[in-house]
Amino acid sequence: MNRTIELLAQGQSCWMDDLTRRMINSGDLARRVGEEGLRGITSNPAIFEKAVAEGADYDDDIVRAAVAGRSPAGIYEELITSDVRNACDILRPVYEETAGVDGFVSLEVSPHLAHDTEASIEEARRLWTLVDRPNLFIKIPGTPAGVPAIEQLLFEGINVNITLLFSIARYEAVAEAYLRALERRLDAGQPIERIASVASFFLSRIDVLVDRLLRQRIVPDRLPPDPDPRSLLGKVATANAKLAYQAFSHIRASNRWMALAEKGGRVQRMLWASTSTKNPDYPDLMYVEPLIGPMTINTMTRKTIAGFRDHGTVQATVTHDVQRARRVMEDLGRLGVSFDLVTAQLENDAVQKFIDPFDSLLKLFAAKGERAVAFRDVDDLRAEARRLRRLVIRMTTEAGSGHPTSCMSCADIVAALFFREMRWDPLDAAARNVDTFVLSKGHAAPILWAALHEAGAISEDPLSLRRIDSTLEGHPTPLNPWVRVATGSLGQGLAAANGLAAANRLDRIDARVFCLLGDGECSEGSVWEAAQFASLNGLANVTAIVDINGLGQSEAAPYHHDTAVFARRFASFGWRTIEIDGHDMTAILAAFRTAHDGGPTAILARTIKGKGVSFLEGADGWHGKPLDRKQMAQALDELGDETQAPPVVEPRRVGQMARPQRVAATHSPPAYRLGDKVATREAFGHALEKLAGEEPALVALDGDVKNSTGTEPFAARYPERFFESFIAEQNMVGVALGLAAAGKIPCAATFACFLTRAYDFIRMAQYSRPAHLVLCGSHCGVSIGEDGPSQMGLEDLAMFRALIESTVLYPADAVSAEQLTAMAARTNGIVYIRTTRPKTPVIYSNAEEFPIGGSKVLRSSLQDRLTVVAAGITVHEALAASDMLDARGISIRVIDAYSVKPIDVVTLSAAARDTGGLIVVEDHAIDGGLGDAVSTAVGSTAPVHRLGIARLPRSGTKDELLDRYGISRRSIEEKVLQLAA
């Protein structure tokens, strides 16, 4: 038999505390009443708020009421009384079958009235009349102001559920009010048979507070006779309830009650509320099983009911262990815990716990009501979405290539953004104090160009799409001034949006950043790196819109149209999520409005690829395929002839922007002593910290290795300008790019080997043409030693050299590291600095300068037999080898090629001519690094011999590895001797 039904045999009824419209409309409430013995239910502001916020069950009624001019309080009252009325009707058979003992639904007055007697009475009367059901309970808190209200309402024949009871004294006061009300009715000649009331005792909240006080009193070696506080943990609420039931039993046995009972008076039953366990270490039924007995009600959550049905024990227990309960309360007092103060605090806190969700609920109604009124007129946006679809089809057909169907799925979203939601100025592409749009699904570039054209932001002919003389490229690039970052390699837009939002926050620009992604690109891990970063950094102004059209390039997207999958993923990273129909213009606008309330927010839009044209909608085989002329004519016919002008976009800003002022150039030189041993990674960090004081646009990012890369001092001194990116290098580079696009000078650092993971982001960054973007790779080469090959950056010079218009720098000591870091921050484009893990001697004076494209000739004579070209760690090996060769009477020229790109062609060519041959030694893979750069520079002037890492390395000490892989001082000496022989 169902255990909740078995409770009835013990005199206890099972109620629930989460009345919602879905529960009513789905039949769940009726089923629980008819099949599972549910005997009552109560409304709850927190539950109601959750139901309104997360579902659509109330939306139509909210819209109707708002358009009719109802206030948020009026909307709340209309909705809640409707639900309560319907629930009363479902429970009415129980009420009739039990002759008015059970079958009740509870509805509270505003919690703001908890301390206002007359206002509570007036609102209770109005709610009683509005619901107009005999099995209604009006909930009134048992506060001092609530007690006279309770008595008056009961006297008037209004049933009352007295809530928020914690102490026996307060219970006895409301029990007295019930008795007086019945006596007054009899004195007035009124019947008392159908007057009902329950006294609701709250349980778990008591133990939450008392346990905290008890834990403060736990001390080692406590001596008897003092009670052990640990023995009372989780015991006080149940003990208090058992003693309250004793007071209840005493009242029932009194002559005063007997006289009322003889005239038809009903018992004011005890109701146990807040019976779900808050402490996960406690049994889930600790507030159910010990409190079963006659004339009681237990109001449970769904989870508690499920647990009770699964493993609950049904037996009369409420009168058991009463003496133990008294000892618990006595011991509590002996430990110095005043239960009167506890219950006073709980009563005040409990009122506030009802006020907070109640106020939040009214704000929610206000927001939904405003949206309903604001979004009534969306015909112009729907028309604009059709115009965008038409233009996209014409553009891609004219170009003979492109992705029209991927544009058509998001046309409604783009129309809503550019023509209603975003604050921007179509006449000023460079404005910062505006909302920003990032098109992460870059293959949908035609929809962006179409929107900009329709808004009057570009005069370029949209039919020039993809032509060599057009800025309207196949994927967005900053060749067009409206594009902040290049996209098209999927999964990168959200990271850049994070960077733009972070820059806005630094500059105190209260602007939003909207990033439109595709569902297919959400398979990229970089999307979730970005989601984590936005949440951890509280980027509330970032809104991601995922166009979930369900189709990829070659087959269906992994989750088809299941928006809930994406919602769960974003929510797990701490994002607000909103699931909508991406073709419902009102829903789109409402989602954007909701996103104003804080975030980051992810709008998951269910769309149809090729929307608007019957033969394209949801059809396979159309990805990246334009329509031919005949198909275009058919599609345009279906979309309809649009003769009206597009909506006018009025320029809107988000306030004035004050750019931080640069401090006058006062760069202090390095302060090292010749011969000091300092790692170049440390010097890089010192330089950043100094530069930050001179350049307010300088920001730093790191991948959870700041105590290794050298950025830790910057982070400590300028925390607001430092962005910890954790182990997510792709997002780190993407955020750095976004910061650069907003005018910052970002310096992002991690181990050189880990930057290979982010190479696609780095590759795409070059097409964004950042004014400044500095990347630092530390712990490069085999010289890192015992950590082994997984940590050795051996490919980084090659990959950064391959970038078009990049700068690659490789300092050999602390002085050059500091000076080159300062140069990097002031050099246009992408600059890579390679730093070394081991400490190396300072070989340059503090006044030495290191121009980009230069080199340093460290040893030179007319007798030089060969030139050794090195950089970084191998400079020191070359100098040592020079000393060793000098002892043999052989002179060599040593060049520090600190600027790997651009390389010093003049100096290297002169050395090639002077010495007849060059040996390049580098702690890098032998292909693609410094050796290739030098070979290209000197051409056929002289042979170039290369010493680099030509075999897969392994762990070992620095010196062992340099020697094993042929780049040590001894290896250089051997090579010179071989060539000079």
Side-chain angles (χ1 to χ4, degrees), residues 13-19 23 29 32-33 37-43 87 91 94-95 101-106 135 137 269 271 297-300 305:
S13 298
C14 174
W15 285 15
M16 290 182 70
D17 67 349
D18 61 350
L19 177 63
M23 190 180 189
L29 178 58
R32 288 178 181 271
V33 171
L38 185 69
R39 313 291 280 185
I41 192 164
T42 72
S43 63
L91 281 153
V94 176
Y95 177 78
V101 172
D102 258 325
F104 286 94
V105 181
S106 296
N135 55 328
F137 268 136
R269 290 185 294 168
L271 184 150
I297 300 163
N298 199 308
T299 300
M300 307 183 211
I305 289 174

Short mmCIF file of all heavy atoms in Angstrom, two decimals, residues 13-19 23 29 32-33 37-43 87 91 94-95 101-106 135 137 269 271 297-300 305:
data_model
loop_
_atom_site.label_atom_id
_atom_site.label_comp_id
_atom_site.label_asym_id
_atom_site.label_seq_id
_atom_site.Cartn_x
_atom_site.Cartn_y
_atom_site.Cartn_z
N SER A 13 -2.23 13.69 7.68
CA SER A 13 -2.47 13.94 6.26
C SER A 13 -1.18 14.39 5.60
O SER A 13 -0.37 15.10 6.20
CB SER A 13 -3.53 15.03 6.08
OG SER A 13 -4.76 14.63 6.63
N CYS A 14 -1.03 13.99 4.33
CA CYS A 14 0.13 14.43 3.53
C CYS A 14 -0.30 15.57 2.63
O CYS A 14 -1.24 15.43 1.84
CB CYS A 14 0.67 13.26 2.71
SG CYS A 14 1.99 13.73 1.55
N TRP A 15 0.40 16.72 2.76
CA TRP A 15 0.17 17.86 1.89
C TRP A 15 1.46 18.13 1.09
O TRP A 15 2.51 17.57 1.39
CB TRP A 15 -0.19 19.11 2.69
CG TRP A 15 -1.59 19.13 3.25
CD1 TRP A 15 -2.44 18.08 3.37
CD2 TRP A 15 -2.26 20.26 3.78
NE1 TRP A 15 -3.63 18.48 3.95
CE2 TRP A 15 -3.55 19.82 4.21
CE3 TRP A 15 -1.95 21.58 3.95
CZ2 TRP A 15 -4.48 20.67 4.79
CZ3 TRP A 15 -2.87 22.45 4.53
CH2 TRP A 15 -4.13 21.99 4.93
N MET A 16 1.31 18.99 0.11
CA MET A 16 2.48 19.44 -0.67
C MET A 16 2.59 20.96 -0.59
O MET A 16 1.60 21.62 -0.28
CB MET A 16 2.37 19.00 -2.13
CG MET A 16 2.54 17.51 -2.34
SD MET A 16 2.45 17.05 -4.10
CE MET A 16 3.99 17.74 -4.69
N ASP A 17 3.79 21.47 -0.95
CA ASP A 17 3.99 22.92 -0.80
C ASP A 17 4.43 23.58 -2.10
O ASP A 17 5.06 24.63 -2.08
CB ASP A 17 5.04 23.21 0.28
CG ASP A 17 6.44 22.74 -0.11
OD1 ASP A 17 6.57 22.03 -1.11
OD2 ASP A 17 7.40 23.11 0.60
N ASP A 18 4.08 22.98 -3.27
CA ASP A 18 4.60 23.55 -4.51
C ASP A 18 3.53 23.64 -5.60
O ASP A 18 3.71 23.15 -6.71
CB ASP A 18 5.80 22.75 -5.01
CG ASP A 18 5.45 21.29 -5.31
OD1 ASP A 18 4.35 20.86 -4.95
OD2 ASP A 18 6.29 20.61 -5.93
N LEU A 19 2.46 24.32 -5.29
CA LEU A 19 1.38 24.48 -6.26
C LEU A 19 1.86 25.30 -7.46
O LEU A 19 2.40 26.40 -7.32
CB LEU A 19 0.19 25.20 -5.61
CG LEU A 19 -0.98 25.51 -6.54
CD1 LEU A 19 -1.61 24.24 -7.08
CD2 LEU A 19 -2.03 26.35 -5.80
N MET A 23 1.35 21.81 -12.70
CA MET A 23 0.86 20.68 -11.91
C MET A 23 -0.64 20.49 -12.08
O MET A 23 -1.16 19.38 -12.15
CB MET A 23 1.20 20.94 -10.43
CG MET A 23 0.99 19.76 -9.53
SD MET A 23 1.42 20.21 -7.84
CE MET A 23 1.33 18.60 -7.06
N LEU A 29 -1.67 17.06 -10.22
CA LEU A 29 -2.34 17.29 -8.94
C LEU A 29 -3.53 16.35 -8.77
O LEU A 29 -3.70 15.73 -7.71
CB LEU A 29 -2.78 18.76 -8.83
CG LEU A 29 -3.52 19.13 -7.55
CD1 LEU A 29 -2.69 18.83 -6.32
CD2 LEU A 29 -3.93 20.60 -7.57
N ARG A 32 -2.31 12.83 -8.03
CA ARG A 32 -1.82 12.66 -6.66
C ARG A 32 -2.97 12.62 -5.66
O ARG A 32 -2.93 11.87 -4.68
CB ARG A 32 -0.84 13.78 -6.31
CG ARG A 32 0.50 13.67 -7.02
CD ARG A 32 1.42 14.83 -6.69
NE ARG A 32 2.70 14.76 -7.37
CZ ARG A 32 3.78 14.14 -6.89
NH1 ARG A 32 3.71 13.57 -5.70
NH2 ARG A 32 4.89 14.12 -7.58
N VAL A 33 -4.00 13.41 -5.91
CA VAL A 33 -5.16 13.41 -5.02
C VAL A 33 -5.92 12.09 -5.15
O VAL A 33 -6.31 11.46 -4.15
CB VAL A 33 -6.08 14.60 -5.35
CG1 VAL A 33 -7.40 14.49 -4.58
CG2 VAL A 33 -5.39 15.91 -5.01
N GLY A 37 -3.23 9.75 -2.30
CA GLY A 37 -3.63 10.18 -0.97
C GLY A 37 -3.23 11.58 -0.60
O GLY A 37 -3.18 11.92 0.60
N LEU A 38 -2.92 12.43 -1.58
CA LEU A 38 -2.61 13.83 -1.27
C LEU A 38 -3.86 14.51 -0.75
O LEU A 38 -4.93 14.45 -1.36
CB LEU A 38 -2.11 14.54 -2.52
CG LEU A 38 -1.64 15.99 -2.30
CD1 LEU A 38 -0.35 16.02 -1.49
CD2 LEU A 38 -1.43 16.70 -3.63
N ARG A 39 -3.75 15.21 0.39
CA ARG A 39 -4.94 15.76 1.06
C ARG A 39 -4.98 17.28 1.08
O ARG A 39 -5.95 17.87 1.54
CB ARG A 39 -5.01 15.27 2.51
CG ARG A 39 -4.79 13.80 2.68
CD ARG A 39 -5.92 12.98 2.11
NE ARG A 39 -7.05 12.94 3.04
CZ ARG A 39 -8.15 12.21 2.86
NH1 ARG A 39 -8.26 11.50 1.75
NH2 ARG A 39 -9.12 12.22 3.75
N GLY A 40 -3.92 17.94 0.57
CA GLY A 40 -3.92 19.40 0.57
C GLY A 40 -2.66 19.92 -0.10
O GLY A 40 -1.71 19.18 -0.35
N ILE A 41 -2.65 21.20 -0.40
CA ILE A 41 -1.50 21.81 -1.06
C ILE A 41 -1.45 23.29 -0.72
O ILE A 41 -2.49 23.91 -0.47
CB ILE A 41 -1.55 21.59 -2.60
CG1 ILE A 41 -0.22 21.95 -3.25
CG2 ILE A 41 -2.70 22.37 -3.23
CD1 ILE A 41 -0.06 21.40 -4.66
N THR A 42 -0.26 23.83 -0.70
CA THR A 42 -0.11 25.25 -0.38
C THR A 42 0.64 25.95 -1.50
O THR A 42 1.49 25.36 -2.17
CB THR A 42 0.67 25.46 0.94
OG1 THR A 42 2.03 25.13 0.74
CG2 THR A 42 0.09 24.61 2.05
N SER A 43 0.34 27.22 -1.71
CA SER A 43 1.11 28.04 -2.63
C SER A 43 2.35 28.55 -1.90
O SER A 43 2.41 28.55 -0.67
CB SER A 43 0.28 29.21 -3.14
OG SER A 43 -0.09 30.06 -2.06
N ALA A 87 -7.14 24.59 -8.04
CA ALA A 87 -6.68 23.55 -7.12
C ALA A 87 -7.74 23.21 -6.09
O ALA A 87 -7.93 22.04 -5.72
CB ALA A 87 -5.38 24.00 -6.43
N LEU A 91 -9.39 19.53 -5.26
CA LEU A 91 -9.40 18.96 -3.92
C LEU A 91 -10.78 18.99 -3.25
O LEU A 91 -10.95 18.46 -2.14
CB LEU A 91 -8.38 19.69 -3.04
CG LEU A 91 -6.92 19.24 -3.25
CD1 LEU A 91 -5.94 20.35 -2.92
CD2 LEU A 91 -6.62 18.00 -2.42
N VAL A 94 -12.23 15.77 -1.73
CA VAL A 94 -11.61 15.39 -0.46
C VAL A 94 -12.24 16.19 0.67
O VAL A 94 -12.55 15.65 1.75
CB VAL A 94 -10.09 15.62 -0.51
CG1 VAL A 94 -9.45 15.32 0.85
CG2 VAL A 94 -9.44 14.78 -1.59
N TYR A 95 -12.44 17.46 0.41
CA TYR A 95 -13.06 18.33 1.42
C TYR A 95 -14.46 17.82 1.78
O TYR A 95 -14.83 17.75 2.97
CB TYR A 95 -13.13 19.75 0.86
CG TYR A 95 -13.81 20.76 1.75
CD1 TYR A 95 -13.16 21.30 2.85
CD2 TYR A 95 -15.11 21.19 1.47
CE1 TYR A 95 -13.78 22.25 3.66
CE2 TYR A 95 -15.74 22.13 2.27
CZ TYR A 95 -15.07 22.66 3.37
OH TYR A 95 -15.70 23.60 4.17
N VAL A 101 -12.55 18.32 6.92
CA VAL A 101 -11.32 18.13 7.69
C VAL A 101 -10.09 18.34 6.79
O VAL A 101 -9.11 18.95 7.17
CB VAL A 101 -11.27 16.72 8.31
CG1 VAL A 101 -9.89 16.46 8.95
CG2 VAL A 101 -12.36 16.58 9.35
N ASP A 102 -10.16 17.84 5.55
CA ASP A 102 -9.03 17.91 4.62
C ASP A 102 -9.50 18.48 3.30
O ASP A 102 -10.66 18.88 3.15
CB ASP A 102 -8.43 16.52 4.42
CG ASP A 102 -7.14 16.33 5.22
OD1 ASP A 102 -6.39 17.31 5.36
OD2 ASP A 102 -6.92 15.21 5.70
N GLY A 103 -8.58 18.51 2.33
CA GLY A 103 -8.92 18.99 0.99
C GLY A 103 -8.73 20.49 0.83
O GLY A 103 -9.37 21.11 -0.03
N PHE A 104 -7.78 21.07 1.57
CA PHE A 104 -7.60 22.52 1.56
C PHE A 104 -6.45 22.94 0.64
O PHE A 104 -5.50 22.20 0.39
CB PHE A 104 -7.32 23.03 2.96
CG PHE A 104 -8.52 23.05 3.85
CD1 PHE A 104 -8.79 21.98 4.70
CD2 PHE A 104 -9.40 24.12 3.84
CE1 PHE A 104 -9.91 21.98 5.52
CE2 PHE A 104 -10.52 24.13 4.66
CZ PHE A 104 -10.78 23.06 5.50
N VAL A 105 -6.56 24.18 0.17
CA VAL A 105 -5.49 24.84 -0.58
C VAL A 105 -5.19 26.16 0.13
O VAL A 105 -6.12 26.91 0.46
CB VAL A 105 -5.91 25.12 -2.03
CG1 VAL A 105 -4.76 25.78 -2.79
CG2 VAL A 105 -6.35 23.83 -2.72
N SER A 106 -3.90 26.43 0.35
CA SER A 106 -3.52 27.63 1.11
C SER A 106 -3.00 28.73 0.20
O SER A 106 -2.27 28.47 -0.75
CB SER A 106 -2.43 27.28 2.14
OG SER A 106 -2.92 26.37 3.11
N ASN A 135 -12.98 25.50 0.72
CA ASN A 135 -11.78 24.76 1.12
C ASN A 135 -10.50 25.56 0.88
O ASN A 135 -9.45 25.02 0.56
CB ASN A 135 -11.70 23.40 0.41
CG ASN A 135 -11.77 23.50 -1.11
OD1 ASN A 135 -12.42 24.40 -1.64
ND2 ASN A 135 -11.13 22.57 -1.81
N PHE A 137 -7.63 28.06 2.51
CA PHE A 137 -6.97 28.59 3.70
C PHE A 137 -6.26 29.88 3.32
O PHE A 137 -5.56 29.93 2.30
CB PHE A 137 -5.90 27.62 4.23
CG PHE A 137 -6.38 26.65 5.27
CD1 PHE A 137 -6.01 25.31 5.21
CD2 PHE A 137 -7.16 27.07 6.33
CE1 PHE A 137 -6.43 24.42 6.17
CE2 PHE A 137 -7.58 26.18 7.31
CZ PHE A 137 -7.22 24.84 7.23
N ARG A 269 -5.53 21.76 13.73
CA ARG A 269 -4.50 20.73 13.62
C ARG A 269 -3.09 21.33 13.58
O ARG A 269 -2.90 22.48 13.17
CB ARG A 269 -4.75 19.87 12.37
CG ARG A 269 -5.98 18.98 12.50
CD ARG A 269 -6.12 18.06 11.31
NE ARG A 269 -6.39 18.78 10.08
CZ ARG A 269 -6.33 18.25 8.87
NH1 ARG A 269 -6.00 16.97 8.73
NH2 ARG A 269 -6.61 18.96 7.80
N LEU A 271 0.48 21.43 11.84
CA LEU A 271 1.04 21.19 10.52
C LEU A 271 2.55 21.32 10.60
O LEU A 271 3.06 22.34 11.04
CB LEU A 271 0.46 22.18 9.50
CG LEU A 271 0.86 22.00 8.03
CD1 LEU A 271 -0.26 22.47 7.11
CD2 LEU A 271 2.15 22.74 7.69
N ILE A 297 -0.56 17.22 10.16
CA ILE A 297 -0.35 17.30 8.72
C ILE A 297 1.15 17.43 8.50
O ILE A 297 1.83 18.14 9.24
CB ILE A 297 -1.05 18.54 8.12
CG1 ILE A 297 -2.56 18.49 8.37
CG2 ILE A 297 -0.75 18.67 6.63
CD1 ILE A 297 -3.24 19.83 8.18
N ASN A 298 1.69 16.74 7.49
CA ASN A 298 3.08 16.96 7.12
C ASN A 298 3.10 17.46 5.68
O ASN A 298 2.66 16.77 4.76
CB ASN A 298 3.92 15.68 7.23
CG ASN A 298 5.41 15.98 7.30
OD1 ASN A 298 5.94 16.69 6.45
ND2 ASN A 298 6.07 15.44 8.32
N THR A 299 3.57 18.69 5.53
CA THR A 299 3.67 19.28 4.19
C THR A 299 5.07 18.98 3.65
O THR A 299 6.06 19.48 4.17
CB THR A 299 3.45 20.80 4.25
OG1 THR A 299 2.14 21.03 4.78
CG2 THR A 299 3.53 21.41 2.87
N MET A 300 5.12 18.18 2.61
CA MET A 300 6.39 17.69 2.09
C MET A 300 6.65 18.18 0.68
O MET A 300 5.72 18.49 -0.07
CB MET A 300 6.40 16.15 2.08
CG MET A 300 6.05 15.47 3.38
SD MET A 300 6.19 13.67 3.20
CE MET A 300 4.92 13.15 4.36
N ILE A 305 8.40 13.30 -0.38
CA ILE A 305 7.32 12.34 -0.58
C ILE A 305 7.85 11.09 -1.26
O ILE A 305 7.54 9.95 -0.86
CB ILE A 305 6.18 12.97 -1.40
CG1 ILE A 305 5.43 14.01 -0.57
CG2 ILE A 305 5.20 11.90 -1.90
CD1 ILE A 305 4.38 14.78 -1.34
#
